[in-house]
Amino acid sequence: MLCATSRLLAARAASALPAHPRGRGPAPRSRRRELHFPGHPELPPGDLLAGRFAGPSVSTGRRAILRRGRMPPAAGGGLAGSELRPRRGRCGSQAARAAGRDVATETATARSPKRPAPLSSRRFEAAGRWALLALVTLTSFATRFHRLDQPPHICWDETHFGKMGSYYINRTFFFDVHPPLGKFCAFLGSMLIPLAYLTVLELSRSLPAALLTAALLTFDTGCLTLSQYILLDPILMFFIMAAMLSMVKYNSCANRPFSAPWWFWLSLTGVNLAGALGVKFVGLFIILQVGWNTLSDLWHLFGDLSLSMVTLGKHLTARILCLIVLPLALYIATYAVHFMVLNKSGPGDGFFSSAFQARLSGNNLHNASIPEHLAYGSMITVKNLRMAIGYLHSHRHFYPEGVGARQQQVTTYLHKDYNNLWIIKKHNSNSADPLDPSHPVEFVRHGDIIRLEHKETSRNLHSHYHEAPLTRKHYQVTGYGINGSGDSNDFWRIEVINRKFGNRIKVLRSRIRLIHLVTGCVLGSSGKVLPKWGWEQLEVTCTPYLKETLSSIWNVEDHINPKLPNISLEVLQPSFPEIMLESHLVMIRSSVWTSFFLTTFLQGNNGLKPKDNEFTSKPWHWPINFQGLRFSGVNDTDFRVYLLGNPVIWWLNLLSIALYILSASIFAVAVQRGAHLPVKVEGLSQVLLRGGGQLLFGWMMHYFPFFLMGRVLYFHHYFPAMLFSSMLTGLLWDTLLRLCAWSLASYPLARCVHVLGILTLLLGTAYSFYLFHPLAYGMVGPLAQDPQSPMAGLRWLESWDF
Amino acid sequence: MLGFLQHPVMVTAEVNLNMVALTAMGLLSRLWQLAYPRAVVFDEVYYGQYISFYMKRIFFLDGSGPPFGHMLLALGGYLGGFDGNFLWNRIGAEYSSNVPVWSLRLLPALSGALSVPMAYEIVRELGFSHCAATGAALLVLIENALITQSRLMLLESVLIFFNLLAVLSYLKFSNSQKHRPFSPRWWFWLVLTGVACSCAVGIKYVGVFTYLLVLGVAAVHAWHVIGDQTLSNVRVLCHLLARAAALVVLPILVYLLFFYIHLLLLYRSGPHDQIMSSAFQASLEGGLARVTQGQPLEVAFGSQVTLKNVFGQPVPCWLHSHQSTYPMIYENGRGSSHQQQVTCYPFKDVNNWWIVKDPGRHQLVVNNPPRPVRHGDVVQLVHGMTTRLLNTHDVAAPLSPHAQEVSCYVDYNISMPPQNLWRLDIVNRESDTDVWKTILSEVRFVHVNTSAILKLSGVPLPDWGFRQLEVVGEKLFRGYHESTVWNVEEHRYGRSQEQKERELELHSPTQVDISRNLSFMARFSELQWRMLTVRSDDSEHKYSSTPLDWVMLDTNIAYWLHPRTSAQIHLLGNVVIWASASLATLAYALLFVWYLLRRRRRVCDLPEDRWLRWVLAGALCAGGWAVNYLPFFLMEKTLFLYHYLPALTFQILLLPVVLEHVSDHLCRSQLQRSLFTALVVAWFTSACHVSNMLRPLTYGDRPLSPSELKALRWKDSWDILIRRY
């Protein structure tokens, strides 16, 4: 990714020197001259040339181009040479060229070149930019790889994501923190910073803004901590940022559609989207953002009457191919690999349907062969279709006094057990043993009245007008009768969903409902855990509400009937699309993608079991850095790591969002009121409104949806949004300082304002990092309340717990 | 001076007979036999209990919506002279003679009736013809579901009324914007918009969606005002400020007013007190106030207190201890300290009393003058009945093994020293020297030796702990959470030196008096917060449905069945109207996208003013439908068909708009237009016919034979009750 970017940039830099393409004004170069910082040695030679040859070539396309939403340059006084030169022949910022043109005519006539600069400084400047990028990258790698091996034990979420990693590698439950995996995460975490740097550079065309962003992210303890552990977040954030960068890049290529770089960035966007979605569902938000960007892009193209419908069709097709078909194909391919690798039975089995389990080796359904159709006399287990409910179960224990009738309990149970076995009998005949070989086989059909006899206790599945133990509005379900003889309350009608009467009932594939004949209620499980008398199994009820919900639908899983021929389950195995669908449904229905694994894997008590309200937090906590997350270390003497953002940076980000909204609204209102802004200010306002707008949108897309989620939320969910808000901060402060410098332009040292401002921010963040770095690299010693602690005086909020 | 006498006094009145006729028909359809059935119908059983509370001035808490709607219903009861004595316990129960059924049902019925002429006005204000406007009003008039819903003591029709009023007054306002801004008429409609929005939100939270829609449209219009360069900057500012005041500030004030009146009316304590904080309860007449009235305010060393947990989940409870000890070995084989249990107990009990003791002294009485306890002081808590000290130590708690066990220390003479010092941390302190106050202070107890925090884990203990709730010392999580916060509820200064006397003292009720009043804003914010967070349990219902069932009316609700005959009331819509309204919305969306794309390519099918009219009608009607419908997909509560009615009303308004558009712009020749008109007339006749057929189920006035009932069951998913004889 990085290599590709850099090679391309190199190519651009190399090709930047030759003559301008026809029809494009040489304007920006002359503008640069005007903006340069007095005493700055490197005046790009391009400027000189432009200044010399700049004729009165007034552009025709400025309005049109601005309207089409391309990014204009950051104009205004400031660090000379800090703005990227628009690149000819490549996808440069179109508006950068355009917006400068008007200025060009003014300045070219108004001033003459101050002094010629050596041609080599051109190359020198390019090299300087490269050095800066290298520096940024190096710093980020240095901070992320520093003390990567500490602490040597497992931290918080690593327990499950690490396990998943080892899952893939060993296909067993053996667990060890694999160093390569840790380094991989740190590598991706480090890559975030150059990506953010390049994105801001592309959006603002201003090196200081990009540098500030990079510093904010490098020196943020939260990002640092998150990158040092084996978690999914660095991977997710990497894909999000990569998608954002490639989107911004392909926006810049819009003036040269269907060129190689255009295709490259467009398809790279697609690839990164697939990656983001494949890691976590949170990746969906960046997809929405790219989708929105694409739609507005298409909308602009559609309004351009110079484009024929055929061209528009091509544009549309290209986007569908690269942004929908390509990611989808990659996503599905990932799943195919996932299912091929994970083909062994494990603790997650119970969550999946019987048919799904059949393809896991080690599961008793794998390669099993059982009779296909249910017949009277068959011994079966019945599984609820809702996830994590389990098998219909009964045992030799009665409901306690005061809980409905004192009859045998019926529950659901998640594990395989002899007490899950039931025998299907005809409702009216008990005498003739259906397993008697002389008897002909009689299949159970849709709509038949049956009786289910519990094999171990010979009691019938029974229901009556007593309220269920926990769900008061439902009826109680019990085991009743002796040796299979009970009463008419033992009769159930068996129905297959979406079938006609008289059809046979298939093992695994048929979705059945059991309807109580007398009361007309439906057998279901409420999913509530019974108290101790019920062995903490789940409650089974008969619900009088006939709504079709999954908790009242069952399927037959095991089936034993010696009189019927066994068929291999292979034919019953679901196809790949069905597997895809089911595993997604399971993930969505468990609604807690993370806690799905947490509950599965953290059963063993490792002392860090998340109980509600302990590690979880509310979305409004996040931007204000209200409360961190304890990564490792419990006692005061332990080596402790605490996931908390660098408060200086986070609060600066928060302030910047407010400031951004304020300044952007001022500009928007001014434009709407028809105010005529000076050209430089207009350029800056375009950066603010367009570039900043995209970043603000990204922040909102990655933050606000969490308010709607009912799931368990953790502090680290905010980090993708935090990346966007840091980029916004960089862009905003650079622009504001440039505006300041511009408004003070009459004073002698006005331009220092920009330099000083940026330097102050850079040094400030670096210093705050110096203060707070123990949060990420680990602290030993007493807690921060104690004056002896290394962190004494830094506990600025009561809620911080380090 | 007497100049006015020189001219005759002229009154010129224009009466729109359409409006008059529509209003009359609306009133007739909604008020006809209003007091029938004289029995509790469906959700009347739910709203009725709150009306009774209002009549008796008893405080209640209802999480389903803000109080304005309940107050309106109660107003009907007040006007009818209802005394609140009726047991609202069963749907179908016969009303006793003291219940003024007619006046209780009057306000919803009036709202429903007035929605008819308002539909007419809205379509007129949108700029469409009288014919379309009359059509919209007639459709609202004959929609069976709207009739049913407005004839009962329910809130949907009132909500719809205010939704429509908000839209109508905004339209009137924006139409007068063009000609005479800042005229009285302009102000009137602007203010009315704000008030109507606020009323809609005050009835049900879903009203907020219509409010947001109106705000959105107003924002777009305001943006155009900003862009209008013929206006001076000052004038633009005036425009913006006027809108902000009327559409943002005013609704908030009105909303607060509802709560103010609500709290003013309900001043007696009642069954829902428990959920509220001690301070809130103390502000109500009776209940806790009677107990806490006149307690000393400042907790001093030697004070006797009960400590209530602020979180109160799963139930509100008090810190408690009793003679029993933790079992030596738990069921899972872990060991305990075998010391005296400390729990949280949800009932008042003499064992809830604790004495605040100064660790440096031995006395358990309050000095004269009392020495108040301040933030940061180290205290010991002595259990009143057993005189044992609250203690925690490095032993795993019974059910939350990651936390420390909390016990009352029993000296077994083994190597387990007492660790019974607690530092007082007043969470809501204003300064670091704040005094610990009864009821008002929220405090945490931080254990001095281990820095664990006294916390209610909320897990019920097994039988050995009498199913009381577990209390633990939390070590891992030291951030703020309500489960670690406690407040003093009952309080008195201890006077008795001897244990025997002290026990007697503990048994006696507290007295003395000072009254403590919470400010309105404090009470409002607490009440609003509890209303939003209170959870209704187990909400499965026979007639619940999903939003997808609503669009094509795949479900219904049986509201009432006559106790003897088969006369019954159903919430059942006019299928023709529902289906065609949905189709109209779809047609609007398709046409809109088509026009939009063509305009983008500079092909203008509609003249500019027609286009703007078409967009505004869509934004308000289709938008109104969308904002009142789509959010239900994200809601997790139990949903019913009647939740769709506000959305449906907006959809019905769109229907004649689309029809008129088709006739004006898509029918190319006169012949086509005539044909189309004929079709519309036929369609409308069928809607009337369907409405008439369903009338017995709407009014429930006529018993139907089983075969008639079967004939009315047009969809398998409809639940029509057929008696088995």
Side-chain angles (χ1 to χ4, degrees):
Chain A
M1 171 57 230
L2 178 71
C3 301
T5 317
S6 37
R7 214 173 296 128
L8 209 78
L9 279 174
R12 283 174 184 181
S15 65
L17 199 54
H20 314 291
R22 259 178 304 130
R24 304 204 189 278
R29 295 197 165 74
S30 52
R31 188 170 55 80
R32 182 103 36 228
R33 193 163 20 75
E34 185 206 32
L35 299 177
H36 96 111
F37 186 62
H40 198 288
E42 289 100 36
L43 185 70
D47 291 10
L48 170 75
L49 293 174
R52 254 182 217 156
F53 302 120
S57 63
V58 181
S59 94
T60 48
R62 177 164 169 262
R63 279 283 152 209
I65 289 161
L66 277 183
R67 200 193 60 236
R68 281 178 45 189
R70 301 304 146 231
M71 206 46 54
L79 293 173
S82 63
E83 287 144 29
L84 275 199
R85 169 169 305 98
R87 302 164 186 120
R88 287 153 298 130
R90 287 276 169 187
C91 321
S93 158
Q94 195 178 19
R97 241 160 297 150
R101 267 170 220 151
D102 294 352
V103 197
T105 48
E106 297 163 20
T107 51
T109 47
R111 287 192 190 185
S112 61
K114 274 190 178 165
R115 63 196 154 95
L119 269 170
S120 63
S121 78
R122 176 96 185 74
R123 221 165 290 143
F124 184 69
E125 193 210 18
R129 276 207 308 276
W130 277 107
L132 209 53
L133 179 60
L135 180 74
V136 163
T137 318
L138 267 180
T139 327
S140 82
F141 270 83
T143 48
R144 266 64 182 165
F145 278 85
H146 177 63
R147 297 181 74 175
L148 187 58
D149 46 354
Q150 292 252 11
H153 57 262
I154 307 157
C155 292
W156 197 60
D157 254 15
E158 284 192 331
T159 344
H160 73 264
F161 294 122
K163 240 171 201 170
M164 285 158 64
S166 66
Y167 227 176
Y168 280 106
I169 292 163
N170 300 331
R171 301 193 196 181
T172 62
F173 277 86
F174 171 71
F175 179 69
D176 183 29
V177 183
H178 292 277
L181 212 56
K183 293 230 173 73
F184 179 61
C185 280
F187 173 76
L188 290 183
S190 316
M191 286 304 296
L192 287 178
I193 286 140
L195 288 178
Y197 174 87
L198 290 173
T199 308
V200 174
L201 198 58
E202 194 67 37
L203 284 175
S204 69
R205 304 253 142 218
S206 157
L207 275 175
L211 206 57
L212 186 56
T213 305
L216 290 175
L217 290 179
T218 313
F219 296 136
D220 179 52
T221 46
C223 284
L224 175 54
T225 314
L226 215 53
S227 316
Q228 284 200 322
Y229 294 87
I230 306 171
L231 303 173
L232 288 181
D233 298 84
I235 314 176
L236 173 74
M237 294 198 306
F238 171 80
F239 279 118
I240 288 179
M241 286 306 294
M244 184 72 194
L245 177 65
S246 26
M247 182 187 94
V248 169
K249 285 274 185 192
Y250 111 83
N251 277 348
S252 303
C253 291
N255 59 330
R256 293 193 34 171
F258 307 114
S259 64
W262 187 88
W263 278 112
F264 174 74
W265 290 117
L266 188 60
S267 45
L268 197 60
T269 313
V271 172
N272 286 319
L273 289 185
L277 189 64
V279 178
K280 263 188 177 186
F281 279 156
V282 181
L284 197 65
F285 304 141
I286 186 75
I287 294 187
L288 292 180
Q289 186 173 10
V290 171
W292 177 253
N293 177 68
T294 312
L295 276 184
S296 69
D297 192 27
L298 283 173
W299 184 245
H300 283 298
L301 290 174
F302 193 69
D304 184 352
L305 292 185
S306 65
L307 298 178
S308 69
M309 288 311 273
V310 179
T311 322
L312 287 176
K314 275 197 220 160
H315 271 288
L316 185 66
T317 323
R319 280 162 178 81
I320 289 176
L321 269 182
C322 292
L323 299 179
I324 298 178
V325 178
L326 178 68
L328 215 58
L330 284 175
Y331 185 70
I332 292 174
T334 325
Y335 257 89
V337 172
H338 172 85
F339 289 129
M340 274 189 317
V341 175
L342 299 184
N343 55 1
K344 291 189 181 168
S345 168
D349 286 14
F351 287 94
F352 290 92
S353 70
S354 314
F356 192 93
Q357 292 176 33
R359 51 170 296 284
L360 299 173
S361 71
N363 190 294
N364 63 339
L365 290 177
H366 185 68
N367 283 339
S369 52
I370 53 177
E372 188 178 7
H373 296 287
L374 284 194
Y376 288 103
S378 292
M379 218 180 324
I380 56 172
T381 60
V382 185
K383 187 173 195 298
N384 196 290
L385 242 64
R386 205 172 118 195
M387 217 190 51
I389 292 290
Y391 304 93
L392 191 66
H393 179 98
S394 184
H395 39 230
R396 270 184 213 284
H397 295 276
F398 281 9
Y399 285 103
E401 202 75 55
V403 181
R406 245 182 100 68
Q407 296 172 2
Q408 184 168 306
Q409 296 171 14
V410 173
T411 62
T412 56
Y413 186 50
L414 258 174
H415 303 276
K416 307 206 171 187
D417 183 289
Y418 280 114
N419 273 326
N420 297 345
L421 284 174
W422 299 82
I423 304 169
I424 301 191
K425 299 215 165 157
K426 289 200 145 185
H427 71 285
N428 45 9
S429 70
N430 197 33
S431 50
D433 180 10
L435 289 185
D436 177 8
S438 61
H439 242 265
V441 174
E442 196 173 344
F443 288 108
V444 183
R445 288 165 198 279
H446 175 59
D448 278 5
I449 312 288
I450 59 157
R451 198 154 53 77
L452 273 184
E453 188 180 309
H454 189 237
K455 181 171 173 281
E456 295 291 307
T457 60
S458 300
R459 293 191 197 274
N460 293 326
L461 189 72
H462 178 99
S463 182
H464 44 218
Y465 288 114
H466 283 274
E467 61 184 31
L470 299 177
T471 315
R472 290 289 146 95
K473 289 179 177 171
H474 293 184
Y475 303 133
Q476 186 192 27
V477 176
T478 64
Y480 180 75
I482 294 166
N483 284 336
S485 59
D487 62 11
S488 62
N489 272 333
D490 302 347
F491 300 159
W492 301 82
R493 191 168 67 242
I494 186 165
E495 285 187 355
V496 183
I497 307 285
N498 300 333
R499 286 292 163 79
K500 289 196 206 81
F501 274 88
N503 274 357
R504 291 180 189 178
I505 292 164
K506 279 188 187 165
V507 174
L508 295 181
R509 302 308 285 276
S510 289
R511 297 144 61 89
I512 58 178
R513 301 212 295 172
L514 289 169
I515 294 163
H516 193 238
L517 209 60
V518 175
T519 60
C521 60
V522 184
L523 186 76
S525 173
S526 66
K528 296 177 188 164
V529 181
L530 292 172
K532 197 145 266 177
W533 55 256
W535 309 98
E536 281 155 12
Q537 298 172 1
L538 304 183
E539 182 197 39
V540 167
T541 64
C542 195
T543 154
Y545 311 125
L546 302 180
K547 294 269 180 302
E548 252 181 43
T549 59
L550 276 184
S551 54
S552 61
I553 302 177
W554 306 79
N555 73 335
V556 175
E557 187 167 300
D558 298 298
H559 181 206
I560 304 163
N561 193 331
K563 286 203 290 186
L564 290 173
N566 286 349
I567 60 143
S568 164
L569 275 180
E570 295 289 323
V571 293
L572 300 178
Q573 275 199 12
S575 60
F576 181 71
E578 281 174 299
I579 297 176
M580 279 284 287
L581 192 68
E582 179 176 345
S583 59
H584 278 82
L585 283 180
V586 165
M587 283 188 289
I588 291 165
R589 219 174 297 129
S590 69
S591 87
V592 193
W593 157 263
T594 322
S595 81
F596 166 58
F597 290 101
L598 278 179
T599 45
T600 328
F601 295 120
L602 283 186
Q603 295 296 331
N605 231 332
N606 55 10
L608 277 174
K609 197 158 136 190
K611 294 194 40 112
D612 41 356
N613 77 44
E614 287 189 353
F615 293 106
T616 62
S617 57
K618 301 268 182 301
W620 64 266
H621 290 171
W622 303 339
I624 52 177
N625 208 14
F626 180 73
Q627 188 176 301
L629 218 160
R630 193 188 281 267
F631 254 46
S632 86
V634 178
N635 290 316
D636 304 358
T637 48
D638 288 355
F639 177 85
R640 304 187 305 275
V641 173
Y642 192 65
L643 174 69
L644 183 75
N646 182 337
V648 175
I649 292 174
W650 284 53
W651 293 342
L652 181 70
N653 280 346
L654 203 60
L655 174 75
S656 306
I657 288 171
L659 214 56
Y660 174 81
I661 291 172
L662 185 73
S663 52
S665 0
I666 290 175
F667 275 121
V669 168
V671 171
Q672 179 77 359
R673 287 295 296 158
H676 290 287
L677 301 174
V679 182
K680 283 176 223 157
V681 180
E682 181 162 345
L684 286 175
S685 80
Q686 293 298 331
V687 169
L688 209 57
L689 290 177
R690 299 255 164 77
Q694 283 193 14
L695 295 175
L696 185 74
F697 184 61
W699 175 74
M700 294 195 298
M701 285 304 293
H702 286 86
Y703 178 44
F704 289 125
F706 285 104
F707 283 96
L708 295 177
M709 290 189 194
R711 51 175 281 185
V712 185
L713 294 172
Y714 297 99
F715 181 48
H716 67 241
H717 287 139
Y718 182 65
F719 279 85
M722 187 266 169
L723 295 179
F724 283 95
S725 86
S726 298
M727 291 196 279
L728 183 64
T729 308
L731 185 137
L732 174 85
W733 285 97
D734 178 60
T735 314
L736 286 187
L737 287 169
R738 276 168 195 278
L739 270 174
C740 270
W742 173 82
S743 60
L744 295 174
S746 49
Y747 298 99
L749 282 176
R751 282 180 186 137
C752 288
V753 171
H754 183 240
V755 187
L756 278 180
I758 296 285
L759 275 181
T760 318
L761 286 171
L762 286 178
L763 292 178
T765 48
Y767 180 68
S768 65
F769 178 65
Y770 165 74
L771 285 180
F772 283 96
H773 76 271
L775 288 181
Y777 292 134
M779 319 161 257
V780 196
L783 294 175
Q785 300 98 311
D786 196 326
Q788 305 295 313
S789 159
M791 301 304 287
L794 290 176
R795 194 160 171 257
W796 295 346
L797 284 186
E798 285 269 305
S799 46
W800 295 347
D801 190 21
F802 52 76
Chain B
M1 188 67 195
L2 295 174
F4 68 93
L5 288 181
Q6 290 169 1
H7 298 283
V9 179
M10 301 280 286
V11 176
T12 321
E14 264 182 63
V15 180
N16 185 337
L17 285 182
N18 272 11
M19 285 275 284
V20 175
L22 286 171
T23 315
M25 284 197 286
L27 287 172
L28 184 70
S29 65
R30 266 66 176 178
L31 294 180
W32 184 68
Q33 284 201 6
L34 189 59
Y36 174 87
R38 221 188 139 71
V40 180
V41 181
F42 199 60
D43 266 357
E44 287 187 346
V45 73
Y46 177 77
Y47 293 112
Q49 48 177 328
Y50 299 123
I51 296 174
S52 285
F53 280 133
Y54 272 113
M55 295 301 125
K56 295 178 172 174
R57 304 300 185 82
I58 292 175
F59 174 78
F60 67 86
L61 181 95
D62 175 28
S64 72
F68 181 57
H70 299 42
M71 278 196 293
L72 275 184
L73 294 181
L75 178 66
Y78 174 75
L79 294 176
F82 183 38
D83 56 5
N85 288 325
F86 184 75
L87 192 61
W88 306 88
N89 61 353
R90 183 173 64 85
I91 295 174
E94 194 93 1
Y95 281 122
S96 51
S97 60
N98 65 330
V99 184
V101 184
W102 191 83
S103 64
L104 277 172
R105 287 178 183 161
L106 181 63
L107 278 175
L110 280 180
S111 320
L114 291 180
S115 301
V116 177
M118 272 207 303
Y120 175 86
E121 275 290 297
I122 288 178
V123 176
R124 277 298 295 152
E125 290 294 327
L126 281 171
F128 290 85
S129 66
H130 278 285
C131 185
T134 314
L138 285 177
L139 289 174
V140 172
L141 178 75
I142 62 169
E143 169 51 53
N144 302 62
L146 291 179
I147 298 178
T148 312
Q149 199 71 11
S150 40
R151 285 171 48 79
L152 301 167
M153 228 183 285
L154 304 171
L155 288 179
E156 270 69 25
S157 68
V158 193
L159 173 67
I160 291 170
F161 172 80
F162 282 111
N163 277 347
L164 293 182
L165 184 63
V167 169
L168 175 63
S169 37
Y170 183 76
L171 282 173
K172 293 246 185 202
F173 156 75
S174 83
N175 287 342
S176 65
Q177 164 80 14
K178 286 164 203 148
H179 314 297
R180 293 190 303 152
F182 298 107
S183 62
R185 195 183 131 78
W186 185 90
W187 277 110
F188 172 75
W189 290 117
L190 178 60
V191 168
L192 191 60
T193 313
V195 173
C197 284
S198 176
C199 291
V201 180
I203 288 165
K204 295 217 160 195
Y205 293 122
V206 288
V208 88
F209 297 121
T210 311
Y211 176 42
L212 290 179
L213 179 76
V214 171
L215 267 190
V217 174
V220 172
H221 286 171
W223 188 244
H224 291 156
V225 171
I226 293 179
D228 183 354
Q229 282 156 35
T230 59
L231 297 174
S232 71
N233 284 343
V234 178
R235 200 152 174 85
V236 168
L237 200 64
C238 288
H239 270 292
L240 295 183
L241 285 180
R243 281 167 173 78
L247 299 181
V248 180
V249 180
L250 182 69
I252 294 175
L253 292 180
V254 174
Y255 188 76
L256 288 178
L257 182 71
F258 296 147
F259 273 84
Y260 187 78
I261 299 173
H262 177 73
L263 288 172
L264 204 65
L265 289 177
L266 306 179
Y267 58 85
R268 293 190 182 135
S269 75
H272 298 168
D273 279 16
Q274 289 284 311
I275 307 168
M276 310 305 291
S277 71
S278 307
F280 193 98
Q281 291 181 41
S283 71
L284 296 170
E285 192 177 280
L288 186 69
R290 212 163 38 213
V291 181
T292 57
Q293 223 171 40
Q295 289 181 166
L297 179 65
E298 297 185 344
V299 177
F301 288 108
S303 279
Q304 300 173 349
V305 296
T306 60
L307 290 165
K308 188 186 182 194
N309 190 276
V310 170
F311 189 46
Q313 299 284 345
V315 284
C317 62
W318 293 269
L319 190 69
H320 178 97
S321 183
H322 39 234
Q323 289 284 354
S324 314
T325 55
Y326 287 110
M328 195 87 85
I329 303 287
Y330 296 123
E331 280 157 9
N332 59 8
R334 276 192 301 119
S336 82
S337 67
H338 197 50
Q339 294 182 343
Q340 182 170 310
Q341 295 173 13
V342 172
T343 65
C344 200
Y345 186 57
F347 302 97
K348 301 246 166 175
D349 187 89
V350 69
N351 271 323
N352 296 348
W353 284 97
W354 298 81
I355 301 167
V356 183
K357 177 177 170 291
D358 183 347
R361 305 192 187 189
H362 279 292
Q363 62 185 16
L364 291 179
V365 293
V366 176
N367 286 25
N368 200 9
R371 285 191 306 129
V373 185
R374 295 176 188 277
H375 170 72
D377 283 356
V378 173
V379 299
Q380 288 173 321
L381 287 176
V382 183
H383 184 238
M385 298 303 286
T386 60
T387 57
R388 296 212 160 109
L389 293 155
L390 188 74
N391 180 69
T392 180
H393 41 218
D394 193 16
V395 173
L399 300 175
S400 316
H402 62 276
Q404 290 188 1
E405 178 191 272
V406 173
S407 63
C408 272
Y409 186 74
V410 182
D411 193 1
Y412 289 122
N413 234 342
I414 49 169
S415 58
M416 188 174 267
Q419 304 182 356
N420 48 27
L421 298 180
W422 300 86
R423 192 177 328 98
L424 184 75
D425 175 27
I426 301 180
V427 180
N428 56 350
R429 64 179 181 273
E430 274 150 19
S431 73
D432 278 350
T433 54
D434 251 23
V435 175
W436 184 7
K437 299 195 186 81
T438 312
I439 292 184
L440 302 176
S441 292
E442 300 187 338
V443 300
R444 301 200 301 173
F445 296 97
V446 184
H447 193 234
V448 172
N449 300 60
T450 59
S451 68
I453 294 172
L454 188 70
K455 176 187 168 182
L456 166 69
S457 79
V459 191
L461 295 168
D463 286 334
W464 55 256
F466 311 100
R467 311 224 156 262
Q468 299 173 5
L469 305 177
E470 186 197 38
V471 169
V472 300
E474 176 65 61
K475 278 191 76 176
L476 285 183
F477 174 77
R478 297 195 194 90
Y480 175 81
H481 190 269
E482 284 191 335
S483 62
T484 60
V485 181
W486 305 79
N487 71 306
V488 172
E489 189 163 289
E490 290 172 79
H491 173 218
R492 69 181 147 221
Y493 288 154
R495 305 273 171 225
S496 334
Q497 295 285 359
E498 288 303 309
Q499 175 64 13
K500 279 278 171 264
E501 283 175 49
R502 196 178 300 127
E503 283 180 18
L504 271 180
E505 196 179 31
L506 291 174
H507 277 288
S508 64
T510 45
Q511 72 289 76
V512 206
D513 59 23
I514 327 165
S515 65
R516 235 165 267 120
N517 276 330
L518 242 61
S519 71
F520 165 68
M521 281 315 283
R523 299 178 75 194
F524 161 74
S525 49
E526 179 179 349
L527 179 59
Q528 178 70 82
W529 180 246
R530 300 276 166 179
M531 280 167 77
L532 288 174
T533 50
V534 70
R535 221 175 277 163
S536 55
D537 47 328
D538 200 17
S539 47
E540 204 175 2
H541 195 281
K542 183 170 184 197
Y543 292 108
S544 66
S545 48
T546 61
L548 280 180
D549 298 336
W550 301 341
V551 185
M552 283 297 164
L553 194 63
D554 289 329
T555 176
N556 73 317
I557 306 178
Y559 268 13
W560 173 78
L561 176 65
H562 193 281
R564 289 169 300 279
T565 69
S566 66
Q568 47 191 299
I569 296 180
H570 283 264
L571 181 69
L572 190 53
N574 187 325
V575 198
V576 175
I577 297 180
W578 287 53
S580 37
S582 298
L583 285 179
T585 315
L586 186 67
Y588 179 87
L590 292 177
L591 279 173
F592 179 78
V593 170
W594 172 247
Y595 288 144
L596 197 67
L597 289 177
R598 303 242 310 161
R599 281 174 69 84
R600 188 79 191 154
R601 298 299 283 181
R602 309 282 186 281
V603 186
C604 292
D605 304 281
L606 298 180
E608 191 63 21
D609 62 322
R610 289 294 175 95
W611 165 248
L612 288 179
R613 205 176 71 177
W614 174 245
V615 171
L616 185 64
L620 285 173
C621 300
W625 170 78
V627 297
N628 281 296
Y629 174 56
L630 301 180
F632 283 107
F633 284 98
L634 296 176
M635 287 187 198
E636 280 167 8
K637 60 177 193 172
T638 321
L639 296 175
F640 295 94
L641 181 61
Y642 58 71
H643 285 127
Y644 185 60
L645 295 181
L648 175 79
T649 316
F650 281 108
Q651 221 180 12
I652 290 178
L653 294 185
L654 189 66
L655 187 48
V657 168
V658 171
L659 290 180
E660 182 176 315
H661 179 84
V662 171
S663 144
D664 283 0
H665 296 280
L666 299 186
C667 295
R668 304 238 171 244
S669 65
Q670 192 57 44
L671 178 68
Q672 277 180 359
R673 208 159 293 160
S674 321
L675 268 178
F676 185 73
T677 314
L679 269 179
V680 169
V681 169
W683 161 79
F684 185 74
T685 319
S686 71
C688 290
H689 181 62
V690 167
S691 178
N692 195 40
M693 281 170 77
L694 293 175
R695 202 174 53 86
L697 296 181
T698 304
Y699 290 90
D701 55 339
R702 188 162 66 85
L704 294 173
S705 68
S707 61
E708 279 176 305
L709 286 170
K710 273 194 190 118
L712 281 179
R713 194 163 173 255
W714 296 335
K715 287 196 179 184
D716 288 341
S717 49
W718 287 3
D719 240 326
I720 288 178
L721 309 174
I722 301 173
R723 275 182 192 281
R724 282 186 233 161
Y725 291 102

